[in-house]
């Protein structure tokens, strides 16, 4: 069972990279994104470091220096490579990283075939699967960043539909009351139930009556905001957002280009005209917040979102939906010990929660209690806007 | 009535500066702090711009260029002087700024003597009084920054007791339940009831049972954290906080100096040994948060703090108390129109709420619903730590 | 004799500051300029540190910490205050610095009255006089920078004629041959002959026949360059200069403002229209070089300049004249020992030589062998352009 | 004849890259170095842009966008890619760039087979050969930078002997007199005589009697400087150099690592112990200058170097030898028109001249009049030290 899940997740990482050129794996045009080869090696390193080394008798690490090179933010496991340097590493080569994957996969297969029954180990493996899925989403968004900032705007075959139809859905009205927030166990049909540490600590919140929009904001609606001078009137913006707009001369979502008066965006298929019916993507929280103010309303809180998603089908999954909730610990949140314990808690500073999931999120990875988080100026994820009904 | 209040507040601004040398009014050693002469001119500019110009018939502005020079963050009122340049302005001189104050004060006295009855105007005047009080606190902390970073560590007579006795008080236990948060009107005995826009929107929150410490953390307790290697173990810190500690080589609160193995701090009376019984001050939210983790507990949320302050005497007022609540709008928050409407709402990004008040806060300025806010790395205010009982 | 010279030089420093407001002494709007109070204290510190402390029996320093605060670049004499912090110091006050001056002046007067005959000491005193004169020029240019960047553009009474008539003078043709370069002793009439270490090492250079212009480039000629798009055509510029123009959006010399289509410049008398007949000032070496290329010629080398100045009256003294010579040691240059030995030699990197003197240079301070030096982007001195005849 | 030379030079570029992994072509760990694939494409672009497009009838460019992507500093030929972005380009791929080379090489072969006789064209082709050779040296040094900053310190087969034996040679004494400097025509035996524009303008200089060392400073001698605290005593350093040492915590030449108390350096063969007999390499001009001062002497000027190299065999060619001459135009220097005219002249700002050539310089590329130039802090070339005899 775990072996099947393991192999399925591992294969998906490779499938995403099927059409990359070797060079596409290497560069890092922004600190937010990591090179594809780093992602592939890092998720392999996770299995080697947290499963094979401590649990598989006689396991020999593939290369002594890889722990140093492919660690990310786990301060407890040796000295990190500075994130700024990831894009400067020509070695190990892509081929060597694939050999590393094969080596680790073979050992993992042999190890999982023994059907280990230790519960902690099982939890760790499930964490590893979800960790790899998180990096799968980043693989997609980071490769898009690299190609979308190349002057040749190359196209790439990748199994993602970036601008899907915007599903029709009714607004959801939350009655006033007390709601329970947080992970309460798997849903019926979950193959392998899972949650991250930051979803724990079920707790009550009081919510006033609110109605969430049934649909995401479309490109067409966003174009109206742009046409109305949305980027030029400071009154719509938070002070930090206004500074960001001006410092970066922002005039549109990321990847948008005005070609002879017509807005286009870069997709994996190249530059194409903006589809007014599709949900807007690649907006920062500053943009989402400004758009909401221009409309005379606001973004939902993460609690409203979660309560609504439990109440009725929100049709989420196209875009990570910016909320107006800061990423903070739930009451009773406890950081787990050890390196794995660093997982989420220490990032609870100056980030905002996003809910839902995107076209780049692996199937089955997200759930109504899932808490994604980024700084408010980030645009490189498939982020979108759902409003509270004014 | 308003005239008396006006003159009392205006006089306090001057009283704070009684012992400054002319040079002390001028410099700006950090962008967080503004020069004293800028504060004095800016609060005068507020009265001229928002009261005298629109409401007093025939009023002539004191100097045409002052609106440009002493505006701060009000985007709607002309082009701002960049904050970075405030410390480069030798003109207008301090004497000229005092003439400006006198000119405006005389006009205000004449104007208020007419007992204007317009309600909007009255609200504006009360806002102006509170605005001036906010800048009075900044005057104190910004002058301290200037003198505390001068190699001569000069002393200055100023009517502030920086390290008062830490009042003894019992812990406060909040029963589980729904609480109302937000400004519901003045307290009995309030001379002139007032609130800022960010306190509005009374709303319910559900709180689980919690106990807030009755006393602030003392210097002695903080020294234990330092002695236990608190600044050297990343496990206590948020990722951003750990980066801040390392980038700035932080080893103690602001103004602390280790002299021959003994910790001292700079006060307006010069460098003195740390008093272990007094409440710790000049800590960032990163430090407050790390201290709490080291103690195995956490900071209160702003809602817990407000509920507790309504329930029983919290003995607040020595230190602005860091909470673990991001500064976000209350449900239903609406930004008022016009320049005054920019007052608070647009700063709701990457700031944390502080509650209470400090030894530098003018008497009567704060209240249990007051929401102060700063970025988590700021240390130059009189900020302290109150914990949730572990 | 030395006493008279000492008092005369010291009085001139004060005379330059006669009309400053206290605040004008304090700020530092650019790292290139120092606050006036720093200059006044620093030149006093020189006398105290290099003359009174080592040579006057029983001398007590005025303040123990001043050596730390007012040292500049002399690495051998204790730890420097970082240059970036000079503008943040409200203390010591201006009044205290004047008391420091008086204290040191009285001791110097008493000391010089003893007619000390030691030759090294005499050299040191003469060096001190010239050092103070150098800072007198900087006092003028640095105060101009402060006032010229204040939005009120205040005027100030100061005994400087910034835009004098451009003296008519014939071109000077140097015959081909070998010339001696460097200081060979005082000129007839020199009251107190002096040279800096960087003028020493008389040596021969071969010069081809060249003709130097008799006059400095005027504002009118410079306006032609501007009108011809001089700042917009990269072909006139060195790569570094072109980068500087673009990074700083340079469109005119420093202090120039286009008011309703008419070029003005800030002077100590306020903003006035550009005088086309006066020599252009406040140009960087990049601008001087670009102007020369646009004219199809070049700037002189420092050797051509010195040879010409010995050959015939060059009418120098209005502007420091940019040369195309890097500031490098003469053959045989030796750095003197001790703190005074650091005087000039160690700055011989990425600076260009300027020859002549300016309207801000104290009378008698410069001479034909004098080597001034600045980085090529500097504009805040009274710098001008003399060309080689095309 | 030209065809043979062309093919020989072109083949050498490829030969240098024979053992690179695809990934090694892509990254750019410092702005000073460019990715290998950029070098290969840029030198191909030179032939296409300056020879094939203007001179070969009917030539079709390989790819419309390559001119934009692979231009370097030629402002006259379209908009440049910012240098900072070269390391972010995964496309065009290495394979595509090799196809580009093949395409251009085939057209060049066909074109040169027609024996074009136009003199300007011939000069342009010879310039192109020398341009490609310059980039061949950069290919070597830039690849070394990439591999030498990779935590795996990989080795690479490349036909360069980095630390050759230091040839024994007698000191050369220049008699006092007038010397002619500059390119006066090819040497007997030159296959294809050539010079850059910056060598033109033969002119006379007067030189005093001087003796240049016969040998380069060795690693052993440099280790003595280090052992004597050379990097810790500011007295040896120019002010800019001292700031550079401190800002970068420099303790040794580039690529040196202290492993358990023993100095090693990175070479293309990996990390090896420092050879005390080999000439020191990878030192900045600041280090060369400080070393000379510590020895009580100085670096030669570029004129002394050139005169000595004409007088007797200097045994140059192991290291680019730092001089103490700023890179300035010779008298009468004229920038040629057009893009090719930008070649050298506009960099004559804040760079120092290096003479000789290094182990990475293609055979026959340099000559006694050759003027190389870099900023004084650069270490990534094979730079060394020759002193004036004290
Ligand atoms: Fe990870
Ligand atoms: Fe204000
Ligand atoms: Fe000085
Ligand atoms: Fe090139």
């Amino acid at each position: 069972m775990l072996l099947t899940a393991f192999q399925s997740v591992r294969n998906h990482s490779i499938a995403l990279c099927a059409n990359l050129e070797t060079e596409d794996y290497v560069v890092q045009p922004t600190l937010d994104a990591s090179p594809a080869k780093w992602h592939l090696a890092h998720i392999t390193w996770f299995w080697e470091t947290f499963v094979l080394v401590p649990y598989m008798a006689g396991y020999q690490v593939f290369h002594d220096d890889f722990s140093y090179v492919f660690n990310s933010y786990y301060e407890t496991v040796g000295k990190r490579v500075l994130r700024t340097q990831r894009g400067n590493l020509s070695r190990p080569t892509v081929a060597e990283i694939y050999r590393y994957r094969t080596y680790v996969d073979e050992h993992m297969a042999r190890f999982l075939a023994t059907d280990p029954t230790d519960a902690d180990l099982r939890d760790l493996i499930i964490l590893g699967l979800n960790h790899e899925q998180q990096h799968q989403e980043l693989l997609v968004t980071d490769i898009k960043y690299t190609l979308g900032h190349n002057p040749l705007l190359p196209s790439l075959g990748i199994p993602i539909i970036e601008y899907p139809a915007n599903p029709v859905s009714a607004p959801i009205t939350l009655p006033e009351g007390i709601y329970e927030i947080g992970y309460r166990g798997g849903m019926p049909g979950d193959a392998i139930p899972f949650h991250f540490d930051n979803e724990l600590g079920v707790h009550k919140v009081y919510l006033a009556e609110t109605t969430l929009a049934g649909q995401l904001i479309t490109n067409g609606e966003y174009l109206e905001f742009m046409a109305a001078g949305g980027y030029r009137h400071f009154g719509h913006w938070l002070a930090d957002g206004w500074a960001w707009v001006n410092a970066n001369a922002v005039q549109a979502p990321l990847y948008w280009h005005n070609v002879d008066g017509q807005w286009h965006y870069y997709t994996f298929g190249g530059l194409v005209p903006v589809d007014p019916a599709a949900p807007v993507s690649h907006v920062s929280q500053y943009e989402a917040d400004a758009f909401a103010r221009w409309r005379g309303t606001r973004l939902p809180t993460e609690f409203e979102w979660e309560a609504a998603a439990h109440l009725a089908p929100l049709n989420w999954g196209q875009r990570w939906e910016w909320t107006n909730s800061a990423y903070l610990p739930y009451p009773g949140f406890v950081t787990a010990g050890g390196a794995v314990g660093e997982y989420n808690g220490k990032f609870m500073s100056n980030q905002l929660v996003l809910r839902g999931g995107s076209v780049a999120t692996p199937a089955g990875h997200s759930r109504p209690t899932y808490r994604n988080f980024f700084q408010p100026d980030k645009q490189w994820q498939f982020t979108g806007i759902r409003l509270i009904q004014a």
Side-chain angles (χ1 to χ4, degrees), chain A:
Chain A
M1 175 67 192
L2 280 182
L3 178 56
T4 312
F6 175 80
Q7 286 172 334
S8 161
V9 167
R10 295 290 281 170
N11 287 342
H12 186 57
S13 302
I14 303 304
L16 289 171
C17 299
N19 292 309
L20 293 186
E21 299 285 350
T22 298
E23 294 86 343
D24 297 332
Y25 286 92
V26 178
V27 300
Q28 182 181 35
T30 174
L31 289 190
D32 293 329
S34 291
K37 76 174 201 177
W38 186 89
H39 282 299
L40 290 183
H42 166 75
I43 51 192
T44 296
W45 163 90
F46 186 101
W47 297 112
E48 179 174 74
T49 304
F50 295 116
V51 176
L52 294 176
V53 168
Y55 290 99
M56 189 186 197
Y59 178 76
Q60 300 290 325
V61 298
F62 180 76
H63 191 298
D64 283 340
D65 292 336
F66 280 14
S67 176
Y68 170 73
V69 178
F70 296 118
N71 191 352
S72 58
Y73 38 76
Y74 307 102
E75 298 264 2
T76 45
V77 187
K79 193 176 158 199
R80 298 174 298 170
V81 170
L82 291 178
R83 290 198 74 183
T84 53
Q85 302 178 337
R86 288 181 191 167
N88 296 337
L89 300 179
S90 67
R91 310 292 182 91
T93 62
V94 173
E96 196 166 6
I97 284 168
Y98 273 95
R99 282 195 294 275
Y100 178 36
R101 283 187 73 83
T102 302
Y103 177 85
V104 165
D105 282 359
E106 286 171 359
H107 283 81
M108 282 295 296
R110 228 177 302 152
F111 177 65
L112 292 175
T114 64
D115 256 325
T117 54
D118 180 277
D120 284 357
L121 172 61
R122 189 188 146 82
D123 286 353
L124 198 56
I125 289 168
I126 296 171
L127 178 65
L129 296 175
N130 281 275
H131 174 256
E132 182 137 350
Q133 286 181 315
Q134 288 185 305
H135 282 279
Q136 284 166 359
E137 177 149 10
L138 292 170
L139 262 173
V140 173
T141 57
D142 296 1
I143 292 167
K144 181 167 181 179
Y145 195 95
T146 291
L147 300 181
H149 287 79
N150 188 296
L152 305 180
L153 293 178
S155 63
L156 183 83
I158 201 163
I160 302 288
I161 298 167
E162 295 167 81
Y163 288 94
N166 200 6
V168 179
S169 180
I172 299 177
T173 296
L174 288 175
E176 178 192 7
I178 290 184
Y179 292 82
E180 289 217 315
I181 297 295
Y183 183 78
R184 277 163 287 173
M187 312 290 279
D190 270 13
I192 306 180
F194 176 75
H195 60 272
F196 281 110
D197 53 358
N198 60 15
E199 297 166 65
L200 282 188
V202 175
H203 62 286
K204 296 175 185 149
V205 300
Y206 171 89
L207 298 177
E209 185 183 305
T210 326
T211 301
L212 280 79
Q215 291 177 254
L216 296 172
I217 294 300
T218 61
N219 287 320
E221 289 173 290
Y222 201 83
L223 282 162
E224 288 170 26
F225 169 68
M226 290 164 61
Y231 284 97
R232 293 193 306 274
H233 297 324
F234 70 84
H236 307 320
W237 298 83
L238 289 163
D240 283 0
W242 185 240
W244 171 81
V245 164
N246 287 293
N248 299 283
V250 183
Q251 304 190 54
L254 188 65
Y255 299 122
W256 287 41
H257 300 268
N258 195 313
V259 182
D260 300 331
Q262 168 81 26
W263 284 103
H264 291 64
Y265 37 45
Y266 173 74
T267 66
F268 283 113
L271 205 63
V272 298
V274 163
D275 172 5
V280 71
S281 190
H282 299 299
V283 289
S284 69
Q285 204 260 1
Y286 294 138
E287 289 167 302
D289 180 83
F291 181 88
R293 288 179 194 228
W294 172 72
R295 277 282 193 87
T297 180
R298 63 173 175 87
L299 301 176
T301 67
E302 64 166 323
F303 309 112
E304 291 165 339
W305 196 98
E306 183 171 325
H310 281 309
L311 199 69
L314 255 183
N315 271 333
W316 56 266
Q318 319 303 317
R319 301 288 179 251
W320 283 106
E321 305 180 19
W322 285 111
T323 72
N324 197 22
S325 293
Y327 180 48
L328 290 169
Y330 285 170
F333 175 77
V334 182
T335 300
V340 171
E342 297 179 43
Y343 210 83
N344 278 307
K346 71 179 176 182
F347 297 109
M348 291 172 173
S349 170
N350 192 25
Q351 311 225 28
L352 290 151
V353 175
L354 302 99
R355 293 298 195 116
S358 84
V359 295
T361 312
H365 178 68
S366 193
R367 60 200 152 266
T369 57
Y370 197 102
R371 305 175 80 200
N372 200 353
F373 50 92
F374 288 104
Q375 286 90 1
D377 62 331
K378 298 297 183 256
Q379 298 178 298
W380 98 113
Q381 297 299 304
F382 289 91
T383 46
I385 308 172
R386 183 190 303 272
L387 298 181
I388 293 297
Q389 302 274 67

